[in-house]
Amino acid sequence: AMVGEGGAYRLRCSLVGHGQDVRGLTRGLFPQGSFVSVSRDRTARLWAPDGLNRGFTEMHCMSGHSNFVSCVCIIPPSDLYPRGLIATGGNDHNICIFTVDNPAPLYVLKGHKNTVCSLSSGKFGTLLSGSWDTTAKVWLNDRCMMTLQGHTAAIWAVKILPEQGLMLTGSADKTIKLWKAGRCERTFTGHEDCVRGLAILSEMEFLSCANDASVRRWQISGECLQVYYGHTNYIYSISVFPHCKDFVTTGEDRSLRIWKQGECAQTIRLPAQSVWCCCVLDNGDIVVGASDGIIRVFTESLERTASAEEIQAFENELSQASIDPKTGDLGDINADDLPGREHLKDPGTRDGQTRLIKDNGKIEAYQWSVSEGRWIKIGDVVGSSGATQQTSGKVLFEGKEYDYVFTIDVNESGPSYKLPYNITDDPWLTAYNFLQKNDLNPMFLDQVAKFIMDNTKGQTLLSTSAQFSDPFTGAGRYVPGSSSGSSMMPAADPFTGAGRYVPGSASNAVAPVGGVDPYTGMGAYQSAAAKVENIYFPKKDAVTFDQANPMQILGKLKELNGSATEEHKLTEDDLITLEKLLSATCNTSAETPTAQQLQTLWRAVNWPEDIVFPALDILRLSIRHPTVNENFCSEKDHVQFIILLLKFLNPKGKQANQLLALRALCNCFVSPAGQKLMMEQRDEIMTQAIEMKSGNNKNIHIALATLTLNYAVCLLKVNNIEGKAQCLSVISTIMEVVQDLEAIFRLLVALGTLISDDTNAVQLAKSLGVDSQIKKYASVSEPAKVKECCRFVLNLL
């Protein structure tokens, strides 16, 4: 019989169709209530609920792989494909993309060098794939954008997180990695065998399952919150119920297990050795696929439960299956019968043996380590939560305490939204997050931020309930708990000097007469209709470092030449030659640089690294001259030239050399020869340059930002999406560490230039979460260009 404490889930139907093991399942978007299965029989099938009885009908069989199909996911609807797309990965190393009504693929993604065994789709058309070739790849439409390298064994599981370009990969190397903008941010260790499945609980938490027969719940920050035990063999697949933290797992112990409130609430045995995959439908029904090629659906709903005959047939099939006694369950854990801490005095009998104890009402799991001869705590067993938080006169929202929770109505008929706010929060950031979370128009940013500021002014400890003016309806609002008096005078906007514009309450929208913008000194514009002009991007020309003091540079060169070894020493003639080169390239003479001058410069830039910097500075200035640019960047010499500059981009090298090498690279972009070389060597140069982010030298950061900006200018002309992907990844990575606002400004211009008039680049930037990285700069007061440029970029995203 079926094992199950509540007996809650029972068979709904068994679907025969696939000829071999069903290896992957995902719920479909179209039609409602459907799902897609993939199998070793090389097909993918779309199943739709059958209106008449409790079953499903195979609507559509898709073929495109030349080998087993091992995974499937749905790509959400877009303007082009309003019903979404179906992506499948196979042992033929390919990914096939299907529409919902054609049996042949729309296109095939090639690039992996081994089986593609996991797929996950994100917003904006991105697709993440994991492969036995140890890499994961990020695809946008039909192009590979980036490859995530770092795992040392097959990647069995991938998931795109809902927030900010974060991606997860789980591997046979027993680790899970978190990636941001294509770079590994964190590695999660804890599983003792291959990680096989991942499932997202929220923006901050996820679950993993593994061949070590455990499920772990993790925080994005790296902490393992809980370990769930129950399976007695490999766990292959994990799927989360909609809108809650309950989940289901399947594995090699012939079972489907349903976890509620952190406990294994029900175990359903199946008449097949390997239960490869599961997915949960919107109505809470569970679909499982197994090694017998049959898909089974289980339901809690009485009207969808199978007939008594079908259930009897299923149970007969089950009773005849031969079960390996080794995989038998250990039975339920009864918390009341667990021993106390003294139980840990007895040594374990084998490595990895687990033992549960109860201490002060909390259940803890320990594991025996043979090598260390002790019990190591591996986690708290779930279902033993701590005391509830004492409220402190604050407002609770979604289980957390806030100083305020505003209710905001966007229009009279629509839903109202809750906006939680703490006095210590940044109003602009809070407003931006609120609009993002509720998918509201970003045009409201200024109003919502202003509303927060107006309604939380200073007197935060008053307990009077003053009326607040709602930014969308102009109506008064009451905030429970604690509130502050707020002057009902229309305040001037601190950014534009204009009165606050509130739709629906025109009387409130009078601007201070002759309002002058405190930042630009110009008259403020009166409403959102008048726009500040975008003078910042797309940038059409390279930005160069032109500042020069030839006399100082030559003086330093002469001084250091005195201490140079014989083989490096320059003669008096050499020094005069370099002086001429400087005057030719700094526009103080009309002469053209000569071949002899360039040979002398080449000797000087090959000086030892502790004395080379004045020579590098001469290179930085002279490379702007077309003749010099052509000479160093042309086909015949460019290899040594790039090797030389990259040599200085060594994190352990001298900062002066790093700075001048970056500036020289930036200045290469002035001429066609330099641009061509920089684009050909982009991958190498960017990979080396990004290592310079770790120092906290603001000049180096500005040079790095400028290099990125110059690449953006070039990419605007050629529209190479892989190049843009690398640039966006670099921008996102540098943004994390840079403090200097000039560097930030240049990164914002680069970002704006990259995404101008390119929907793919916009989608990619969003999927990397760049918008959430830059939003804080929308409220920078000085220099105003940072705020303005940032807002123009946010408008595009």
Side-chain angles (χ1 to χ4, degrees):
M2 293 196 328
V3 183
E5 285 69 32
Y9 273 87
R10 304 191 74 190
L11 185 71
R12 170 175 168 181
C13 61
S14 300
L15 304 173
V16 180
H18 282 295
Q20 291 184 49
D21 304 42
V22 177
R23 289 301 299 258
L25 287 164
T26 188
R27 66 191 180 89
L29 293 174
F30 178 88
Q32 193 70 43
S34 64
F35 64 87
V36 183
S37 60
V38 297
S39 161
R40 292 179 68 135
D41 69 7
R42 307 185 181 192
T43 67
R45 296 171 197 235
L46 173 61
W47 304 81
D50 176 328
L52 304 171
N53 55 31
R54 308 177 184 88
F56 284 80
T57 311
E58 182 187 312
M59 283 189 66
H60 185 41
C61 180
M62 294 154 276
S63 308
H65 289 281
S66 58
N67 205 330
F68 306 154
V69 192
S70 39
C71 56
V72 59
C73 83
I74 299 288
I75 297 172
S78 61
D79 295 343
L80 203 49
Y81 302 105
R83 294 175 173 187
L85 295 168
I86 296 165
T88 60
N91 286 44
D92 58 5
H93 314 177
N94 292 344
I95 299 164
C96 291
I97 309 290
F98 297 92
T99 56
V100 291
D101 42 20
N102 190 334
L106 183 65
Y107 49 85
V108 178
L109 306 178
K110 293 176 182 287
H112 278 297
K113 298 182 174 64
N114 206 325
T115 296
V116 178
C117 52
S118 182
L119 291 167
S120 173
S121 62
K123 295 179 189 159
F124 322 113
T126 46
L127 180 69
L128 175 63
S129 60
S131 164
W132 292 357
D133 67 11
T134 77
T135 71
K137 288 181 184 288
V138 183
W139 310 80
L140 181 63
N141 304 327
D142 55 350
R143 308 286 285 280
C144 177
M145 293 293 138
M146 44 182 70
T147 299
L148 311 183
Q149 291 175 305
H151 282 293
T152 56
I155 294 179
W156 274 106
V158 296
K159 273 283 183 282
I160 294 183
L161 283 153
E163 255 306 278
Q164 310 167 358
L166 294 178
M167 299 178 178
L168 289 169
T169 54
S171 164
D173 65 14
K174 306 178 190 174
T175 70
I176 298 160
K177 289 183 184 286
L178 174 71
W179 307 79
K180 180 158 191 188
R183 294 170 71 85
C184 180
E185 288 265 301
R186 183 168 292 118
T187 300
F188 302 79
T189 54
H191 278 298
E192 290 155 50
D193 206 338
C194 302
V195 178
R196 295 299 290 263
L198 293 166
I200 307 299
L201 287 172
S202 68
E203 289 176 2
M204 299 313 296
E205 289 184 18
F206 66 92
L207 297 165
S208 61
C209 66
N211 281 1
D212 62 10
S214 76
V215 172
R216 285 174 177 257
R217 182 161 68 90
W218 305 86
Q219 226 164 358
I220 294 295
S221 57
E223 192 185 346
C224 179
L225 300 173
Q226 282 170 346
V227 186
Y228 307 81
Y229 296 103
H231 278 280
T232 54
N233 207 325
Y234 299 167
I235 307 176
Y236 292 134
S237 152
I238 184 163
S239 185
V240 178
F241 283 102
H243 319 301
C244 70
K245 293 199 169 182
D246 297 339
F247 57 94
V248 297
T249 51
T250 64
E252 184 63 21
D253 59 4
R254 306 168 163 270
S255 73
L256 154 69
R257 289 172 196 247
I258 297 154
W259 303 78
K260 302 232 164 142
Q261 275 91 51
E263 300 285 338
C264 179
Q266 190 181 351
T267 301
I268 296 175
R269 301 262 166 217
L270 292 166
Q273 184 60 57
S274 310
V275 190
W276 290 119
C277 50
C278 59
C279 74
V280 180
L281 302 179
D282 289 330
N283 60 10
D285 286 6
I286 301 164
V287 187
V288 295
S291 51
D292 59 2
I294 296 173
I295 297 167
R296 294 178 177 85
V297 186
F298 295 89
T299 185
E300 270 183 312
S301 144
L302 289 172
E303 56 263 31
R304 290 197 298 273
T305 302
S307 67
E309 297 83 51
E310 287 173 277
I311 288 184
Q312 190 57 55
F314 173 70
E315 291 186 4
N316 292 346
E317 197 184 351
L318 201 55
S319 63
Q320 288 156 17
S322 57
I323 290 181
D324 183 345
K326 282 207 296 295
T327 64
D329 284 343
L330 306 166
D332 280 356
I333 297 163
N334 187 338
D336 301 331
D337 301 341
L338 284 176
R341 192 162 289 286
E342 67 283 353
H343 190 45
L344 298 176
K345 292 201 172 76
D346 309 335
T349 53
R350 59 183 171 81
D351 199 65
Q353 177 188 356
T354 54
R355 192 167 274 183
L356 300 175
I357 62 146
K358 194 167 169 188
D359 189 34
N360 293 331
K362 259 174 49 177
I363 301 174
E364 297 177 352
Y366 285 78
Q367 181 172 309
W368 180 251
S369 164
V370 168
S371 58
E372 299 187 38
R374 66 185 179 94
W375 290 101
I376 296 169
K377 183 175 176 191
I378 53 173
D380 294 315
V381 178
V382 294
S384 46
S385 60
T388 56
Q389 211 176 4
Q390 286 302 305
T391 55
S392 50
K394 291 191 170 194
V395 196
L396 275 176
F397 175 67
E398 294 183 345
K400 295 194 194 71
E401 297 183 343
Y402 292 93
D403 294 326
Y404 298 90
V405 176
F406 298 109
T407 302
I408 303 227
D409 289 325
V410 180
N411 55 41
E412 304 298 345
S413 57
S416 57
Y417 298 88
K418 295 281 188 230
L419 168 59
Y421 179 74
N422 283 320
I423 293 156
T424 50
D425 293 343
D426 175 291
W428 289 95
L429 209 51
T430 306
Y432 180 93
N433 285 330
F434 166 74
L435 294 172
Q436 284 279 87
K437 179 179 177 186
N438 296 300
D439 213 2
L440 299 171
N441 191 326
M443 274 177 46
F444 292 128
L445 181 67
D446 288 46
Q447 279 166 251
V448 178
K450 190 77 179 43
F451 169 75
I452 295 171
M453 290 187 281
D454 286 354
N455 292 319
T456 55
K457 283 205 185 96
Q459 314 144 316
T460 48
L461 301 171
L462 292 184
S463 55
T464 60
S465 60
Q467 284 286 307
F468 297 139
S469 165
D470 184 303
F472 292 104
T473 63
R477 273 289 170 195
Y478 165 66
V479 179
S482 59
S483 68
S484 67
S486 90
S487 74
M488 292 307 287
M489 280 293 292
D493 183 312
F495 292 97
T496 61
R500 174 167 62 121
Y501 162 66
V502 182
S505 67
S507 60
N508 221 2
V510 185
V513 179
V516 171
D517 185 311
Y519 297 105
T520 62
M522 299 188 306
Y525 59 92
Q526 298 301 302
S527 78
K531 281 278 189 286
V532 182
E533 196 189 348
N534 181 357
I535 52 173
Y536 303 111
F537 63 81
K539 191 108 179 63
K540 299 287 201 306
D541 304 301
V543 177
T544 52
F545 290 91
D546 304 319
Q547 199 186 343
N549 188 328
M551 292 325 294
Q552 271 188 337
I553 296 172
L554 288 164
K556 196 72 189 166
L557 188 75
K558 285 175 180 161
E559 177 196 324
L560 291 169
N561 191 43
S563 64
T565 58
E566 279 315 308
E567 57 167 330
H568 293 118
K569 229 185 207 56
L570 300 174
T571 64
E572 270 309 305
D573 288 351
D574 290 339
L575 292 169
I576 291 164
T577 304
L578 290 177
E579 190 169 349
K580 282 187 181 152
L581 175 63
L582 258 183
S583 66
T585 54
C586 293
N587 301 330
T588 43
S589 79
E591 290 172 32
T592 302
T594 65
Q596 185 206 359
Q597 288 169 359
L598 296 180
Q599 280 158 5
T600 309
L601 175 59
W602 185 249
R603 278 180 26 230
V605 292
N606 280 286
W607 271 9
E609 65 173 317
D610 48 337
I611 59 169
V612 72
F613 65 92
L616 274 180
D617 216 4
I618 297 175
L619 177 65
R620 183 258 311 181
L621 288 163
S622 51
I623 198 76
R624 298 170 307 160
H625 193 288
T627 312
V628 184
N629 197 293
E630 180 64 39
N631 180 290
F632 282 124
C633 300
S634 70
E635 293 302 321
K636 72 178 193 333
D637 291 324
H638 70 257
V639 179
Q640 296 97 304
F641 176 66
I642 288 293
I643 290 170
L644 174 88
L645 289 178
L646 290 183
K647 182 183 79 183
F648 294 118
L649 298 187
N650 168 3
K652 297 186 179 64
K654 289 176 76 76
Q655 284 201 333
N657 296 346
Q658 294 170 356
L659 176 64
L660 293 167
L662 283 171
R663 287 180 173 177
L665 288 166
C666 291
N667 288 357
C668 283
F669 282 91
V670 295
S671 289
Q675 286 170 19
K676 183 167 180 283
L677 174 62
M678 297 302 285
M679 290 300 278
E680 281 170 8
Q681 305 291 321
R682 185 196 78 240
D683 201 32
E684 287 294 302
I685 293 171
M686 285 296 226
T687 306
Q688 279 288 141
I690 200 166
E691 297 302 322
M692 300 295 99
K693 74 183 168 77
S694 44
N696 48 9
N697 180 315
K698 76 170 198 174
N699 288 327
I700 287 180
H701 284 170
I702 291 170
L704 189 51
T706 309
L707 180 64
T708 313
L709 172 54
N710 286 350
Y711 269 117
V713 171
C714 272
L715 288 162
L716 181 68
K717 297 174 190 143
V718 297
N719 198 9
N720 159 341
I721 192 73
E722 287 87 344
K724 287 188 173 184
Q726 186 185 28
C727 251
L728 287 168
S729 169
V730 168
I731 291 171
S732 169
T733 307
I734 308 174
M735 278 277 181
E736 298 280 296
V737 292
V738 171
Q739 304 285 311
D740 181 76
L741 288 175
E742 180 58 36
I744 293 291
F745 172 68
R746 293 183 182 200
L747 289 170
L748 288 169
V749 176
L751 181 56
T753 302
L754 281 172
I755 63 176
S756 289
D757 299 323
D758 183 346
T759 50
N760 279 344
V762 169
Q763 290 180 314
L764 191 61
K766 284 179 171 175
S767 69
L768 292 176
V770 178
D771 47 345
S772 51
Q773 277 185 302
I774 64 170
K775 60 196 174 190
K776 60 182 174 207
Y777 299 113
S779 49
V780 166
S781 50
E782 284 291 330
K785 65 182 185 180
V786 173
K787 168 186 79 181
E788 286 176 6
C789 185
C790 180
R791 292 191 184 178
F792 282 121
V793 175
L794 284 173
N795 284 343
L796 288 181
L797 289 169

